[in-house]
Amino acid sequence: MNFCSDNTAGAHPKVLEALVAHNAGAAMPYGNDELTQRVEKRIAEIFERDCAVFLVGTGTAANVLSLAALTPPWGVVYCHPGSHINCDECGAPEFFTGGAKLMPIAGADGKIAAADLDGAITGAGVVHHAQPASISLTQATEAGTVYTEGEIGAIADVARRHRLGLHVDGARFANALVSLNCRPADITWRAGVDILSFGATKNGAVAAEAVVVFDREKAATLGYRRKRGGQLWSKMRFISAQFDAYLKDDLWLANARHANATAKTLGQGLAGVPGARIEHPVQANEIFVTLPEPVIRGLEQDGFKFYRWVEGGQLLRLVTSFNTEPAHVEAFLASARRHAARGTQAAQ
Amino acid sequence: MNFCSDNTAGAHPKVLEALVAHNAGAAMPYGNDELTQRVEKRIAEIFERDCAVFLVGTGTAANVLSLAALTPPWGVVYCHPGSHINCDECGAPEFFTGGAKLMPIAGADGKIAAADLDGAITGAGVVHHAQPASISLTQATEAGTVYTEGEIGAIADVARRHRLGLHVDGARFANALVSLNCRPADITWRAGVDILSFGATKNGAVAAEAVVVFDREKAATLGYRRKRGGQLWSKMRFISAQFDAYLKDDLWLANARHANATAKTLGQGLAGVPGARIEHPVQANEIFVTLPEPVIRGLEQDGFKFYRWVEGGQLLRLVTSFNTEPAHVEAFLASARRHAARGTQAAQ
Amino acid sequence: MNFCSDNTAGAHPKVLEALVAHNAGAAMPYGNDELTQRVEKRIAEIFERDCAVFLVGTGTAANVLSLAALTPPWGVVYCHPGSHINCDECGAPEFFTGGAKLMPIAGADGKIAAADLDGAITGAGVVHHAQPASISLTQATEAGTVYTEGEIGAIADVARRHRLGLHVDGARFANALVSLNCRPADITWRAGVDILSFGATKNGAVAAEAVVVFDREKAATLGYRRKRGGQLWSKMRFISAQFDAYLKDDLWLANARHANATAKTLGQGLAGVPGARIEHPVQANEIFVTLPEPVIRGLEQDGFKFYRWVEGGQLLRLVTSFNTEPAHVEAFLASARRHAARGTQAAQ
Amino acid sequence: MNFCSDNTAGAHPKVLEALVAHNAGAAMPYGNDELTQRVEKRIAEIFERDCAVFLVGTGTAANVLSLAALTPPWGVVYCHPGSHINCDECGAPEFFTGGAKLMPIAGADGKIAAADLDGAITGAGVVHHAQPASISLTQATEAGTVYTEGEIGAIADVARRHRLGLHVDGARFANALVSLNCRPADITWRAGVDILSFGATKNGAVAAEAVVVFDREKAATLGYRRKRGGQLWSKMRFISAQFDAYLKDDLWLANARHANATAKTLGQGLAGVPGARIEHPVQANEIFVTLPEPVIRGLEQDGFKFYRWVEGGQLLRLVTSFNTEPAHVEAFLASARRHAARGTQAAQ
């Protein structure tokens, strides 16, 4: 009954089966095997466009390699203050870019508004200032919301006007995609995205992320960057095998739909709990909810695990995953209601 | 019939089974799970010493994180010219250290001699020069040989005298260990080694390496470095599960013994092939052999895969692994003998 | 009649004379000359404490070398949003620290308040977050104000509690010092400052800055950093000669008093101009004043040079220097009054 | 009587006079003054080609900014083992390039031979290896010799074939130029050089170096690199003033001719001293001579200052400069002869 994160879940059984299935025989290392090449093509098909694909082992790596491909050491990366690259990478973006500056652009529900971004871009061509270079959006956002195709397009317009690269951190890309019920291309290159961190780990893989570069010219340095970044697996077939299973028969979409659906149930249920306040629209697999302290303590005592978003605060983040059991959601809601009811009685 | 590298092999079935076995249930991410903590302790037991352990996904990462912990940006890393860190990491050591300088110390059979190292260390305390900081040995070496306990101790003496850190790239540590038939501690901390890249990938894992720091003080920065280096897996249990199986019932030693034994058979067989010259003692799982060009072509035509060590040259590197089939070794030797015999006839 | 910056002024004649005076004869390079050693001692005397001194050529270099000595690549530097290191160094702090993160702490009149700083420091010891490492104050500030001894002490308390290094960007240190009428030690090490960028360039030198490290242990890496940062002059005597003249007979204090006094006159005069608003207390040699657009245009037409603080805006920054002529100040005020009067008449 | 280096000399009086002459009045900072623009044009005239010029304060900075403009972080810089960038910059090239690898190419008399260079370039396009990116020659070399136009051209051919950038460290460019008696263009862009570190400091300036980029496209990043490298002087007029005087009336050529002529006299004189061996042709302002130990001690006792090239060895480096007094040269020779004669007598 763990709602801490989608990375507390294990991997989908089919992903593990694929590791076993592709274990037989010799395979050339470092991605020079047939399976890897097949997976790279499959990803291109899914995005309906020729693209350069770089498989890596972690989301941090996918993000910072992407940013490094778009941002010189003296560049500025515009991002949401709450974005993973800004808060939770221990300076990995600065490290991989060689010293770029992350410039936070605040915005409601974890999203950057195009107009705010536009207003924040200054200093181009002036040697005293770090240079506007790239934008990084998170899709689904760290607030559990989703950028629409139109919102991304508006930001891409700003990017184009200022000649900035546009990156999307898609650690939860599948969750956003099924939420929007559109095609992968619609919210990536067709909307103006240059590079996508296409995450699989949180949605059922072991450790598998892909840097998908929609314009091959922007990929020129990435082979070298991946290698010297320590991300070129010798037994690359084992990342590829994960993606092979992940993408086969739309497993990735099914996984995301399950996670989103359980999140929806959980969010809707919590909205009806006395004293609860849902902080952001529940559009993917995360719920941000403020609860009365006694309810939080009650849930903890009942064995549920989750994070208080700020230490000691009453704002909780609850995350569902591809294998969250509906029964656990129901149990969580029941517990919350029970403790809320007690609080109400006590207050009377 | 692939002798290109030990990374063309897949993973040992028991390693894959462990992934499945540890998949059940929720586990806290980023190494905060019980299995990871158990594996870290198990590694400490094997080395008979309290030590700090950092699990990562690639050998490149293990090496360069280790070097970064021992070397400031203005430091010098002394290493063999043929070492992986010097030749095959696309500048990863320079990247992770923030600009250190690799200073190659030549030596026979892939090894650095203590006296040569001692003579090469200059410039300490003089601001004009990059500063002597660390030594990196490869064990087993890139020439398929093995440093003895005494050789490592002699180098450690030099290190101590000059206050340098001592790192061992143990991508093939198991192969060296069983070759020397000693205890892990004997050729690491007891001999004066500070940090070991303890590799499992080449010897039967999927993607699993451990940075083992024998002096906890030298580990102070590594948690941050691993995270910002993109190597802190969210689902860390899946590296830990590999190590769990790898170390259980001495699987790692059995794997290495198999690889070494097949290498020995292959090396001894080749030594008897007319026109063949074994270039380095075969002490681990690699054979460096020079063969007549017609023999090489014949082997290629018979479907054997291997690398010419220099493009177009006649020096071959042959690598065996934990699952190299003895029948393949026999077939290789038979093919080599057959083609060599033809050459001898043709010359008569 | 240039009020753009104190760096539009040339050097004080005595500084240039010193270059000539110390030109004779051979001198050992890279700071191994007697003059440099004498100057380093003189600086220690002025600060009433043994300290390590590193002479460099630019203020950017002094600041970023200082920050690098106090901040690991994964560190956070807390600074004012308007600070030079945050806005005007094209990412130099990120470059020299190897990727540290600048975290702006807003505050009135260009100053950081200790309580705000305290509240912003989070994440220590958690590998996901960049690590609190150092604080950088600007003295005098970029708003032309001055931190009192007490304000610095309060910030130093926060620093000590969180184990952060405390740096002061003293490009205009002399201006702050004479404004406070205290001893150099009072607002540096006695108040808890670890490293001072002790600027001379803006206050009458050609190109001369000193990194003054009050605790020699914190200076251990700076010799190497200065060299590889391209700041170790071969003919170091020529920075030293500047400091020799700068510090002799309190020239530096006289220069700063002149600049501050003319600024005060200018500020007081402007305060009486109809429509003018002084934005920050004038405590050093900068005036921030908002003026009616016609007044600004009139001043420009009369040949005065200055910066609009934001392009197209009516907030001006006026800077005086060691050689600002009182007549120019009077002329500026007369022009402003004249144009303001016209505006008043026109409005009537 | 100091022959340690050309940087033990002061500055030429005309250079200092220029500082005074250009001190009057306000000048816009950071190179936005008329004098700087005039000097940049003058340098372009001297090189008979439109070029981008970046003035900086040290030779280290000029070299490493140049290398950074030509070399990605994963690049290889080919250079002579004895080059300043390889030996004497404390890792500055690695720092400014973001981690490039210096690959030494040995060669007689401090020079790289085109064929040796050609043979050393490997690994292009293979992600495992640092990528061939640039070549750096030193002119005059660290052995006091000079590359001919033809030698540079041959190296430039190799560069072109492998698509490498070609940099020249011209800390002693003037000495090479007058030695060859050719035009500046002949041994730079016309021969295939991309970027020149055009040094003035060693040849009579205070602190003045220019990065001269012959192809403006290769200069695109240098403005930002100079600023964040801490090399954009606020009072830039003071570097420009140095160059103004240095280039006026061919002062730079006269200075270099004097230094070379005194070196020639010294070299020829030493060649006649019993037991002396001149190690490299004396083509610029440095003499490398091996002398009997008693002669060296005698010279030291007579008050002459110079470096033993290797600590404790008998190989001396003697450097003359723009203001070396002929009488000092004569005194040095007389002393050497006297001590050598004593040695000869003693041996009889």
Side-chain angles (χ1 to χ4, degrees), chain D residues 46-88:
Chain D
I46 283 171
F47 284 94
E48 305 176 53
R49 181 187 172 100
D50 173 64
C51 49
V53 175
F54 299 85
L55 304 183
V56 297
T58 67
T60 301
N63 281 341
V64 298
L65 288 169
S66 300
L67 294 177
L70 297 173
T71 317
W74 49 87
V76 173
V77 180
Y78 300 93
C79 60
H80 194 274
S83 62
H84 214 265
I85 57 167
N86 193 46
C87 300
D88 295 297

Side-chain angles (χ1 to χ4, degrees), chain A residues 269-277 290-292 295 336-337 339-341 344:
Chain A
L270 285 169
V273 169
R277 189 175 65 237
T290 301
L291 288 175
V295 177
R337 284 182 201 118
H339 294 292
T344 313

